[in-house]
Amino acid sequence: MTSRVLGLVRDQSFAAFMGTHGVAAAFSYAFMVPNLFRRLLGEGALTAAFIPIFKAKEKNEGEASMWQAANAVISGLLVVAPAIALYVMLIISLLLLNGVWDPDTRLMLQLMRLMFPYMMFACLGAIFMGILNARGHFFIPAFSPAILNIVLIASVWLVAPHFGQTVRTRVFALAVGVLASGVAQAFFQMPAMRAEGFRYRWISPWRDPTTREVVEKMIPSAVGVAAFQLNVMLTQTLAFGENKDIVAEFFYAVRLMELPQGVFGLSLATFLLPTLSALAVEKNFHQFRVNLRQGFSHLIFINLLSAVLLFTLAEPIIRLLFERGKFDATSTDHVSFGLVCLAPGLISFSLVNILARAFYALNDIKTPMRISIFCLTINLLLTAFFLFGAKLGAGALGVANTLSSFCNLALLLFALRKKLKTLEMAECTAQLPRLAVAGLAAGALAWGLRWLWQNHLGHATLPLKLGEVFLPMTAAAALYFALSWWMNIRSAHEMIALIAARTKPS
């Protein structure tokens, strides 16, 4: 939660600093590329392949073998990641020798070249994060991304003014901040790693059996993750070519949607990978299904409310959070439309993360890879249609992502049910009609209160903007929880009981 809130403050700083035009599009696209490689080599394929092996080593061979495996994989990463970074930076430098680029595209390439080494340190931080999660540590790894946000916020307000007089030169301060944050993210986790017993020593990855096993299992996952990242790059490139502003507009919409997805969806998925991996090693498939069902139930319950609120209150939320500085009313209209198109997919985005980790825990990386490639092809075709045919702007990417994520969810559920024979999801599916009623009622209340506020009070001042968001949001959330409690939805009872237990005086 702390990391996501700081991420929101970071995005507010970006919005005021560069809005959604020109420079913002160049920076958003440039930062996306090293992030794609980070997810491919760090959080995506490598972590998914390594953590089940790491847990199996811990259980079957002891800690010495476990740490040896970790050192071998880290040694391999320390060779491969810098090589990729140098190669990409060389390609970008050659591209910049060509004088055909327009100013925004040239700026994007310059920023990308400067930021690309961030990928190396972020990958190292991601593997540390996976190891600490597997050892039962969640706070330090979860707080690590907050370091990125703190450094970037400081870059906007403290460093950028020293980089010249215009936004086009000052934006390079953010690129320097990205590099510094990558280093900080990796080394922030080192004390926790050392406390667990980790001591780095070079182990040649070329002949190490664990490294070979990780690479073999990583390849199908890498194809799937690479397909996803390539899809993101292609859709963003289509948007950059159609209208550069769409890239930045969609960036802000995604950031708002990622707030609940990160707090609930990714947090739960992060917890479930080592948990389900351990249960799979023990062949305790009943408890495997129980954990998966509970994760599904809680995630649907909380993210349905989040999706409803983002859908009905998109415009006032964007106005409150971002409309200042270079982020104007037109930016608010475009970004809020993108968020409205993304919000219905929030539940499926989060559930896909959980289902993918269930497959990884079962040492099956090929199935989610194949499904991912199929759905990403659909996403690319839908993006092209809605972008060039329907001319939906940032909404084109939102609609395409939402529809393809529902397809991904359906196919993963079908494949996992076939693999496990049964998912024991009857209790979860039985509560869906009641949750739909609660969600519709909450959405109607939020929309009605927002309409009344907007038409009778407006949003000319900060207190009025706050009221336009938080009055409908609070009332809708209260109604949703009350109806869910009254309709005896287990997730509502469990969450309310958990909150009561945590807040009860000792």
Side-chain angles (χ1 to χ4, degrees):
M1 176 70 83
T2 303
S3 174
R4 293 292 166 170
V5 169
L6 283 170
L8 183 59
V9 175
R10 178 197 75 185
D11 295 334
Q12 287 178 301
S13 302
F14 283 2
F17 176 66
M18 54 188 173
T20 60
H21 312 295
V23 173
F27 178 81
S28 299
Y29 190 95
F31 188 35
M32 174 193 68
V33 177
N35 258 325
L36 298 186
F37 280 87
R38 170 182 64 84
R39 288 169 182 163
L40 174 61
L41 290 177
E43 296 173 359
L46 178 57
T47 303
F50 175 62
I51 295 307
I53 296 171
F54 184 80
K55 290 296 292 183
K57 290 276 186 184
E58 179 186 28
K59 181 175 178 61
N60 300 326
E61 299 178 27
E63 291 200 1
S65 177
M66 176 190 75
W67 289 125
Q68 181 175 344
N71 276 316
V73 171
I74 291 171
S75 296
L77 182 64
L78 291 175
V79 172
V80 173
I84 292 174
L86 287 171
Y87 178 75
V88 172
M89 292 167 70
L90 176 62
I91 295 296
I92 295 172
S93 297
L94 293 174
L95 289 173
L96 283 168
L97 293 176
N98 194 322
V100 301
W101 309 111
D102 63 74
D104 290 337
T105 304
R106 176 168 289 278
L107 176 63
M108 178 270 292
L109 290 170
Q110 290 170 333
L111 290 169
M112 190 189 301
R113 180 176 60 182
L114 181 55
M115 286 191 284
F116 206 87
Y118 160 79
M119 176 270 294
M120 302 184 298
F121 302 105
C123 286
L124 191 61
I127 199 69
F128 288 168
M129 194 179 297
I131 290 171
L132 288 172
N133 288 161
R135 296 288 289 174
H137 293 272
F138 294 96
F139 179 79
I140 293 296
F143 192 76
S144 176
I147 303 297
L148 167 71
N149 297 323
I150 292 169
V151 173
L152 288 180
I153 292 166
S155 298
V156 171
W157 300 113
L158 301 179
V159 182
H162 301 286
F163 272 65
Q165 299 301 315
T166 67
V167 176
R168 192 166 286 273
T169 58
R170 289 182 173 185
V171 72
F172 284 94
L174 274 63
V176 173
V178 167
L179 281 178
S181 69
V183 177
Q185 275 182 284
F187 287 96
F188 175 72
Q189 298 178 86
M190 279 304 297
M193 290 283 291
R194 291 185 64 83
E196 279 298 304
F198 173 75
R199 300 292 185 274
Y200 176 70
R201 59 187 180 87
W202 168 263
I203 294 179
S204 175
W206 316 121
R207 297 179 181 178
D208 182 76
T210 300
T211 307
R212 284 201 301 271
E213 185 181 359
V214 168
V215 171
E216 288 170 3
K217 291 185 175 180
M218 183 179 169
I219 289 173
S221 178
V223 172
V225 176
F228 174 76
Q229 306 303 350
L230 179 62
N231 183 271
V232 171
M233 188 180 296
L234 288 174
T235 55
Q236 294 288 303
T237 302
L238 288 175
F240 197 81
E242 169 68 6
N243 181 350
K244 292 181 175 62
D245 292 355
I246 292 174
V247 175
E249 290 163 1
F250 189 64
F251 167 81
Y252 290 112
V254 169
R255 294 299 298 165
L256 258 294
M257 197 221 31
E258 283 183 343
L259 183 61
Q261 186 186 359
V263 171
F264 304 112
L266 290 178
S267 296
L268 189 58
T270 299
F271 164 75
L272 280 175
L273 178 58
T275 304
L276 294 179
S277 296
L279 292 170
V281 169
E282 297 167 2
K283 300 192 182 301
N284 187 352
F285 293 112
H286 171 69
Q287 199 60 38
F288 186 101
R289 295 186 187 96
V290 168
N291 275 268
L292 191 62
R293 182 181 69 245
Q294 287 181 328
F296 253 61
S297 298
H298 292 335
L299 198 54
I300 292 171
F301 173 73
I302 201 66
N303 272 358
L304 175 61
L305 174 62
S306 301
V308 165
L309 294 176
L310 288 174
F311 184 85
T312 55
L313 302 175
E315 186 178 332
I317 289 173
I318 298 296
R319 184 184 297 117
L320 171 66
L321 294 177
F322 297 133
E323 195 177 297
R324 59 185 60 84
K326 294 185 178 297
F327 196 104
D328 55 22
T330 302
S331 299
T332 295
D333 290 339
H334 293 173
V335 174
S336 60
F337 179 60
L339 182 57
V340 165
C341 295
L342 269 176
L346 175 59
I347 295 173
S348 56
F349 294 139
S350 300
L351 293 181
V352 162
N353 279 321
I354 287 182
L355 284 172
R357 281 159 175 79
F359 279 100
Y360 298 155
L362 294 167
N363 279 320
D364 180 0
I365 298 176
K366 292 183 179 180
T367 300
M369 173 205 73
R370 291 167 180 153
I371 292 172
S372 175
I373 292 174
F374 174 75
C375 292
L376 291 170
T377 304
I378 292 175
N379 182 53
L380 186 60
L381 294 174
L382 289 172
T383 298
F385 171 75
F386 289 117
L387 192 63
F388 299 111
K391 299 289 184 181
L392 292 183
L397 281 68
V399 174
N401 274 271
T402 294
L403 293 176
S404 61
S405 73
F406 279 117
C407 177
N408 201 346
L409 174 62
L411 292 174
L412 284 172
L413 276 171
F414 176 80
L416 189 60
R417 182 181 288 112
K418 188 175 179 181
K419 190 175 188 69
L420 292 176
K421 311 304 180 189
T422 178
L423 294 180
E424 299 178 9
M425 289 283 184
E427 181 183 339
C428 181
T429 54
Q431 74 176 14
L432 292 180
R434 288 172 285 159
L435 274 176
V437 170
L440 286 171
L445 179 61
W447 185 88
L449 290 174
R450 175 211 162 182
W451 183 87
L452 288 170
W453 189 286
Q454 191 171 15
N455 283 276
H456 293 281
L457 297 173
H459 45 257
T461 64
L462 179 58
L464 288 174
K465 289 178 182 177
L466 288 166
E468 186 184 22
V469 171
F470 286 102
L471 176 65
M473 185 180 290
T474 304
L479 178 63
Y480 182 80
F481 271 88
L483 286 174
S484 300
W485 177 278
W486 179 67
M487 290 187 289
N488 203 31
I489 292 172
R490 175 179 287 193
S491 293
H493 284 265
E494 290 182 355
M495 287 196 177
I496 291 170
L498 177 63
I499 292 170
R502 289 295 179 93
T503 56
K504 184 180 179 180
S506 57

